[in-house]
Structures are given as structure tokens and as C-alpha cells.
Amino acid sequence: MAARKHSAQAASAAALIWAALICLAGSGCQPAAERPPAPREQSASPEQPASDTASVHFTAAGDISMGGGARAVLDVIASLQPDLNIALGDLSYQAGVEQAFCDMVTRKLGKDFPYELITGNHESDGHDGDIGTFAECLPNRLPGLQGAYGIQWYVDVPQEQPLVRFILISPGIKFPGGQPLDYSPGSDRWVWTESAIDGARAADIPWTVVGMHTLCFSMGHYGCQPGEQLTNMLVSRNVDLVLTGHEHVYQRTRQLGLNAGCPVLVPGEARDDCVADADNSLAQGQGTVFVTVGVGGAGHHDVQADDPEAGLFAVWSGKNRDRALGTLDVMVTDSRLDARFVPAAGFTFTDAFAIER
């Protein structure tokens, strides 16, 4: 049934992809909202002062598939009861089963839950599913979204008095026609991304989170697919948190920053001058933390402790070390961002860090 549905939807899905690509240059393409995420009221704790009760709670993971591991991670997300989830690309890993993937998600999380999408390389060009079809059966549920949902978009959460701006982009992966989108300096998508970051600061939104499927720094086997210049632009703008998938590992960098001793981050190098803070208690404005959460259900990749970029990383987990599936669980308030890795049943690896304003 799923294969027949995919075949019937092929034309509309392709049209959706190309319409989305065309509208990236503008500020339109704003999907209708169905359920705004309400700020959660939290009891006072050492991590969250009593006067700081408004919060946004979100989870994020990519590289999902449709097996038991994916369902176990969805169970974790359901148990955490976040306001929204960011799916960091590579969804079903199969063509023609988009509806079945969406059904798996909605059975676990509910049909109105904001399971927000950014494309991975497996569905960006349609060879293992089609991002347009996924976006039809798992549509945007957040009000005020700007851009092309599933490909390049941003949204402020909550819509009124926002605490966080989510900016989702798609550099370094191929789209229909075999070409990647242009995120080179000065391009329309570079300017769009830069403006979305700067706009969050200008609006005094406390936190800025960028998500994309590809990654620049890794202790696995991928290189810097988003590009060195785009990566350095994110750090130069002091994006608080960059979330990625693609590499089937969990890995978190130290807080990386640019300064006189580190005017630019160079892929394949780990310079001490580029590490703004090496512990788990960080201060906002000193740099950017990159977290790869490519453990949403698919298989694992090895991590290499002797990787030339290892000095940039605080923690890592892979096939050959502390293997785990799970999700990043993040709570933001006006004054703090608290993040932790929550493993699925049967795994024990964990991680936690915090950024204070």
C-alpha cells in the first residue's frame, strides 16, 4: 500500500520540492500553523530558578530508519513529552514508504505533535524517499515558520515572546538534478542564513539553534560537507548550538570560538586556541557547541580517538565505543540552556552540558 501511495504522490511531491526551492529566495512560503507550542511551567530546581519558569523543551535526533531502534528512540521522545522534536534528516532510508514512516511517528507521538523536518541526503534527491512527501504527511505544526519547510526555514518558539529561534538549513547535500544548494559566501542562502541569525539577536531572542543534516567536524569518517566558510560564519555569529546528523554517532564539541589566536576554524585541525571552554558549564557568547545526534535509530559508525579533530570534542559515542541510540533533550529558559543525551532502552551512554546567559 505504501509503495502504491508513493507512486500516486510522486508528481505532487516533486512539485512541492521545486516550489520550495524556488521560494527560498523570498520570505514567503509560510505553512499554516496547527498547534502552537505553549511554554512549559517548571518547578524550581538548582538548574532553573523559580523566577525563570517560562521554557521551551525540545528533542533532536537524525538518521532514523524504520526498525526497532527507531521505535525505541520514539518511545524515549514520547516519555520526555517535549514541546517539539527536530528530525535532523535521513528518515526512512527506503523509497516509497514515506506514509509508513509518518504513521510510525504519529502512532508514537500523536498526529498533531510538532515533529519538524529538515532533509537529509537520503531524501533530498528522492532516491530513498522524498522530502516533499514526508513534508505532506508530517507537516509543520509551528506558527510563524518562515522559508521552505523541510529544506530551509526558521521559526521562533513560542511565537509570542520567543525564547529560541530554530534555523534549519540544507548545505552539502544533493537535490533533484544532482546539485547541492548554494551556500557559498554572498549567495542568497548564505545571506538568508546570516540574516536569520542576526535577526534573532536584533529581536533579543535569548537563544539561537541551527540545525542541518551534514556536519563539519567529526571523529567518524565524514569531512566538512557544509563547508568551512559557512561553519565559520555560524561560529563568528556566536550561534549557541549547532545540531547535525549524518554521522551515525553521538559527539559533542567543546565550545568553539574565534579570536586573535584562532581567526578561523580549519577542518582537520584541533587547535587549543579555538577552544573557548572545555568543560560542561559554558557561558553564552564565548562560542558555539556542535552536537551530532545521528543515533535516532539507524546503525552506528565507528569513532576514532586518534582523529585529528579529536581535540575539539568533549565526548563521543559510536559503534566501537559506548554505542547508544537516543535523543538530545534540551530545555531552554531566558537564562539557561540545559542539554542531555537520553539513551533508548538497553543503552547506558549519557552526556550533559549547560550554557548560561
Side-chain angles (χ1 to χ4, degrees):
M1 179 179 291
R4 291 198 297 271
K5 180 176 180 66
H6 177 73
S7 177
Q9 290 178 333
S12 65
L16 179 61
I17 281 287
W18 286 110
L21 291 175
I22 291 170
C23 76
L24 281 176
S27 61
C29 310
Q30 181 173 339
E34 297 189 31
R35 183 177 79 87
R40 297 164 63 93
E41 294 297 321
Q42 303 293 326
S43 60
S45 70
E47 292 77 26
Q48 183 172 303
S51 61
D52 198 15
T53 55
S55 67
V56 174
H57 179 197
F58 69 94
T59 51
D63 305 273
I64 296 159
S65 80
M66 295 181 62
R71 292 190 294 273
V73 174
L74 289 170
D75 285 338
V76 173
I77 295 171
S79 72
L80 293 170
Q81 298 184 314
D83 298 317
L84 69 142
N85 177 82
I86 304 295
L88 294 165
D90 282 4
L91 305 175
S92 66
Y93 288 88
Q94 300 178 54
V97 298
E98 291 91 336
Q99 188 62 53
F101 178 89
C102 296
D103 290 345
M104 176 184 72
V105 171
T106 56
R107 278 195 301 270
K108 296 287 188 179
L109 302 178
K111 65 182 181 66
D112 295 324
F113 176 77
Y115 190 84
E116 302 292 298
L117 303 180
I118 192 67
T119 188
N121 58 291
H122 278 268
E123 56 272 347
S124 60
D125 63 2
H127 75 278
D128 273 340
D130 188 288
I131 186 57
T133 307
F134 285 116
E136 289 177 348
C137 58
L138 287 171
N140 168 54
R141 306 282 184 188
L142 300 175
L145 185 143
Q146 300 291 319
Y149 176 65
I151 298 172
Q152 178 175 289
W153 53 271
Y154 76 83
V155 68
D156 299 334
V157 182
Q159 188 176 26
E160 301 296 328
Q161 298 183 326
L163 291 172
V164 56
R165 174 169 288 185
F166 295 97
I167 303 168
L168 281 296
I169 56 177
S170 296
I173 57 179
K174 294 179 181 179
F175 281 80
Q179 296 299 317
L181 304 182
D182 183 7
Y183 281 89
S184 62
S187 67
D188 288 345
R189 294 180 182 90
W190 172 286
V191 172
W192 184 95
T193 305
E194 197 172 46
S195 296
I197 297 167
D198 292 347
R201 300 296 186 215
D204 200 27
I205 298 172
W207 303 99
T208 304
V209 175
V210 170
M212 55 186 153
H213 182 63
T214 56
L215 70 171
C216 186
F217 308 113
S218 182
M219 295 178 64
H221 62 268
Y222 287 120
C224 185
Q225 289 181 271
E228 177 180 336
Q229 292 171 309
L230 180 66
T231 302
N232 275 279
M233 185 267 281
L234 300 179
V235 178
S236 72
R237 289 297 196 272
N238 281 323
V239 168
D240 298 301
L241 183 63
V242 175
L243 302 175
T244 65
H246 199 39
E247 195 82 75
H248 295 191
V249 302
Y250 175 86
Q251 54 189 2
R252 170 172 62 90
T253 69
R254 297 175 164 123
Q255 191 177 44
L256 306 181
L258 304 181
N259 52 62
C262 177
V264 64
L265 285 157
V266 179
E269 294 183 3
R271 296 166 52 196
D272 290 343
D273 286 343
C274 299
V275 176
D277 199 333
D279 60 29
N280 299 333
S281 297
L282 310 170
Q284 189 185 56
Q286 303 304 304
T288 302
V289 179
F290 293 79
V291 184
T292 299
V293 198
V295 288
H300 292 83
H301 295 164
D302 286 341
V303 287
Q304 310 298 332
D306 60 351
D307 189 277
E309 293 176 347
L312 300 178
F313 285 89
V315 293
W316 53 87
S317 162
K319 182 179 180 180
N320 58 335
R321 172 171 170 165
D322 296 328
R323 184 175 67 95
L325 297 174
T327 185
L328 191 70
D329 180 38
V330 184
M331 184 76 73
V332 298
T333 68
D334 182 74
S335 62
R336 287 178 63 93
L337 181 153
D338 285 282
R340 59 177 182 149
F341 178 78
V342 182
F347 301 100
T348 59
F349 171 82
T350 59
D351 177 39
F353 65 98
I355 307 173
E356 290 194 63
R357 293 184 76 203

